[in-house]
Amino acid sequence: MKDQAFVTLATNDSYVKGALVLGSSLRHYNTTRQLVALITPQVSDSMKKVLFKIYDDVKEVDVLDSGDSAHLALMQRPELGITLTKLHCWTLTQYSKCVFMDADTMVLSNIDELFQREELSAAPDPGWPDCFNSGVFVYRPSIDTYKRLLQFATEKGSFDGGDQGLLNSFFSSWATTDINKHLPFVYNLSSVSTYSYLPAFKVFGANAKVVHFLGRIKPWHFSFDPKTKSVSGMHDPAVVQPEFLKLWWETFSTRILPLLTEHGVVKDTSSGLKAEEIAEAVSQLSIEAPTISSEERKERWEQGQIDYMGEDSFENIKRRLDSFLK
């Protein structure tokens, strides 16, 4: 299927790590489609070379930025403006149909059946289900659509300052016109679902085909111990269940790290990839997670986004209460 492709976008070296895990997971589950990575000039040459080890094509594109700080402030995500660069995916007209996947997604099974869907097919967003989440969607490349999207962005902007608001406004009939364009939620299992509707996750989570590490804190913000195969670091409601996070890191350490060492991105660990060496190499790639202010944490509590696995665990709350009572 040379005329169909999975497409992703990496705007810096950190997101390249995610793109590498995504591409590796697609390969692992034997996709028959092409893999394409769009990158911006901020991606280093060494990381670009590693991408070519997994992706069939790596294409550099210009950065598109909404500059819409007012709307982005509503989401407290100023970095999302650059996500409009995603619109370049419509310029890949050498392909008849594509599936776009954010670099912070990972597949858990073969999902080639998505190419049977039509533009614009996507899964509902857990925050507002009448909007689709733009982390995974089926589309048809078209220069005409690309130009119309740019014109729409210029004239009307995006209600959230990022690509999701823009695309939902542009493909405004998604919610009501054709139910066949509503992908099952298992094709884009967003992290907040594990907190806002935990019972459903316990029943249906095992059927997930794509996991989306939604939110500011990404898998590469954590640390991984290859000895114990455990992930440590800051826990946050914006991260999916620990087993998915662990799977991401196992994929990274076994399939991606050797490629990074081969190209000198990290220290050479080719001598058997001992646990201590992997841990040291991984530590070079871990990025400190953004800190959460007490005010933001309070807001998340009020929205039902409680960090049950970390700061807001029963043990931590009990410890604070005991300290206060003493």
Side-chain angles (χ1 to χ4, degrees):
M1 304 298 293
K2 299 291 186 181
D3 68 332
Q4 297 182 346
F6 285 101
V7 181
T8 192
L9 167 69
T11 54
N12 55 45
D13 282 0
S14 294
Y15 274 87
V16 169
K17 299 170 203 170
L20 289 168
V21 170
L22 167 62
S24 178
S25 66
L26 285 163
R27 296 285 188 204
H28 179 71
Y29 288 107
N30 303 313
T31 180
T32 60
R33 269 59 176 192
Q34 298 287 288
L35 302 187
V36 179
L38 302 179
I39 61 171
T40 62
Q42 286 70 34
V43 172
S44 66
D45 289 339
S46 57
M47 292 297 263
K48 183 177 180 180
K49 290 177 182 177
V50 179
L51 279 169
F52 270 112
K53 290 290 185 177
I54 292 179
Y55 284 81
D56 297 295
D57 191 18
V58 179
K59 180 181 179 182
E60 186 171 305
V61 295
D62 296 328
V63 174
L64 299 176
D65 194 327
S66 72
D68 193 346
S69 58
H71 285 136
L72 289 168
L74 294 175
M75 302 172 63
Q76 299 183 344
R77 297 291 301 281
E79 76 278 10
L80 286 182
I82 199 173
T83 59
L84 288 185
T85 306
K86 186 183 294 188
L87 300 184
H88 283 295
C89 72
W90 267 273
T91 66
L92 299 173
T93 53
Q94 64 269 43
Y95 303 105
S96 62
K97 188 183 292 185
C98 296
V99 174
F100 185 91
M101 303 186 72
D102 278 348
D104 58 353
T105 61
M106 178 176 66
V107 303
L108 306 174
S109 66
N110 185 290
I111 57 170
D112 286 358
E113 68 271 13
L114 285 180
F115 289 91
Q116 299 172 19
R117 304 280 184 146
E118 289 301 323
E119 181 179 82
L120 187 291
S121 292
D125 188 86
W128 193 266
D130 276 346
C131 289
F132 58 82
N133 183 279
S134 60
V136 178
F137 60 85
V138 184
Y139 74 100
R140 287 189 176 276
S142 162
I143 294 300
D144 178 63
T145 303
Y146 174 67
K147 290 180 178 179
R148 288 191 292 122
L149 278 165
L150 290 182
Q151 182 177 0
F152 190 94
T154 301
E155 295 177 356
K156 300 186 179 181
S158 165
F159 64 74
D160 64 2
D163 66 274
Q164 183 160 304
L166 173 68
L167 292 176
N168 270 278
S169 295
F170 187 83
F171 295 99
S172 58
S173 64
W174 176 85
T176 56
T177 302
D178 186 356
I179 194 64
N180 289 320
K181 293 182 179 180
H182 288 221
L183 298 181
F185 193 59
V186 292
Y187 285 103
N188 191 350
L189 178 62
S190 303
S191 57
V192 292
S193 65
T194 66
Y195 289 88
S196 61
Y197 201 2
L198 187 57
F201 173 78
K202 289 180 177 179
V203 174
F204 303 111
N207 299 322
K209 293 176 177 289
V210 178
V211 59
H212 188 179
F213 296 92
L214 203 63
R216 289 189 306 170
I217 300 178
K218 305 301 181 186
W220 51 86
H221 289 136
F222 292 77
S223 299
F224 180 71
D225 185 343
K227 267 186 178 178
T228 60
K229 295 189 180 298
S230 61
V231 179
S232 62
M234 180 179 176
H235 293 281
D236 186 86
V239 177
V240 185
Q241 293 289 25
E243 61 264 31
F244 293 139
L245 190 59
K246 179 182 175 183
L247 180 59
W248 189 97
W249 269 105
E250 288 179 346
T251 301
F252 181 86
S253 63
T254 58
R255 303 180 204 159
I256 307 305
L257 186 57
L259 297 177
L260 297 177
T261 57
E262 178 186 338
H263 287 80
V265 178
V266 297
K267 179 182 176 182
D268 183 14
T269 60
S270 57
S271 57
L273 288 175
K274 295 178 182 178
E276 295 81 1
E277 294 174 324
I278 296 177
E280 181 182 349
V282 165
S283 69
Q284 298 176 42
L285 296 165
S286 297
I287 302 172
E288 184 179 352
T291 56
I292 304 297
S293 68
S294 58
E295 186 63 30
E296 185 175 353
R297 190 160 162 239
K298 177 184 175 183
E299 290 178 3
R300 292 185 177 186
W301 266 76
E302 292 172 348
Q303 294 168 5
Q305 298 181 13
I306 302 165
D307 186 6
Y308 296 110
M309 303 299 296
E311 286 293 315
D312 305 321
S313 67
F314 174 77
E315 291 78 9
N316 283 342
I317 293 174
K318 183 176 182 298
R319 191 179 300 115
R320 292 192 188 98
L321 286 173
D322 289 342
S323 175
F324 175 76
L325 290 174
K326 287 179 181 178

